[in-house]
Every structure is written in C-alpha cells, then in structure tokens.
Amino acid sequence: MIEAKGLTKVYGEKTAVGGVSFTVQAGRVTGFLGPNGAGKSTTMRMIMGLDAPSSGSVTVNGEPFAQHKAPLREIGTLGRQGSPHEPHRLQPPARHGSDAQHPQEQGPRSH
C-alpha cells in the first residue's frame, strides 16, 4: 500500500506539489494523469525516496521507501523519458543478482 499524507514539495517560491493525500491499495496498478507541470513526476520522486518532501509524508507498505531492505521487490515504476513526441518503447524488466545483464536496444523486428 502507498499512503501519502499532506505531501508537499516547494522549490524556492514555486510549489510543485501542494498538500496531496491519497492511498493506493496493495496490488493496484495506478497512474497519475495531468498536464505538464502538475507535479506527477515530483510526486513519484518523493514516493521513491529520490526527493524529500518539504512537508507531509509518504510510505510504502507502512515505511518510507528508502527504509525497505529490498525496495525494488515491493514497488515498481514506469516513467516516461525523453520527449512526449518520441515513440514509447517498452524496456525489459530489470534483472538483479549475478546474472544481471545490460540489455541493448534493438531495432524493429521484421516478420
């Protein structure tokens, strides 16, 4: 479960996320929709522990993401990178452990 309470992020005089509260039940696939600059990426960065909230809190399964022993086994994200006008490409799932390899991007397949 992901729970945000009063989640706020301020950069200088700009409020990127203002007092957001929500709960996502375990096992639910959830996405954020909104215009550019609405705070979707900032909210995800706070959930994942990449940015600290200016105020409020967010937990994943009852703990801040960074306090989990194996956080990537409990939560996954799919974010958009690059220009919104570029085609979206699916990436293979990350592999962990000694057999992890660096996948190389492949061009389109011919059938």
Side-chain angles (χ1 to χ4, degrees):
M1 176 170 56
I2 302 170
E3 188 169 17
K5 294 179 182 176
L7 199 56
T8 300
K9 182 66 176 179
V10 178
Y11 295 101
E13 294 188 20
K14 175 157 176 57
T15 300
V17 176
V20 173
S21 297
F22 60 87
T23 301
V24 178
Q25 295 300 323
R28 299 297 303 237
V29 176
T30 304
F32 292 124
L33 300 175
N36 290 344
K40 302 176 299 292
S41 295
T42 302
T43 299
M44 285 303 303
R45 291 182 59 80
M46 289 188 285
I47 292 169
M48 302 295 291
L50 299 173
D51 280 346
S54 300
S55 63
S57 64
V58 61
T59 58
V60 178
N61 295 334
E63 298 180 1
F65 185 80
Q67 291 182 6
H68 288 266
K69 292 179 184 175
L72 296 178
R73 292 178 188 230
E74 295 189 45
I75 186 171
T77 67
L78 175 63
R80 180 121 181 129
Q81 295 180 356
S83 166
H85 303 290
E86 294 174 9
H88 190 90
R89 294 195 174 127
L90 293 177
Q91 298 295 320
R95 298 184 62 172
H96 302 282
S98 62
D99 64 339
Q101 299 175 3
H102 298 282
Q104 295 180 356
E105 187 173 307
Q106 298 177 4
R109 295 183 190 178
S110 58
H111 295 276

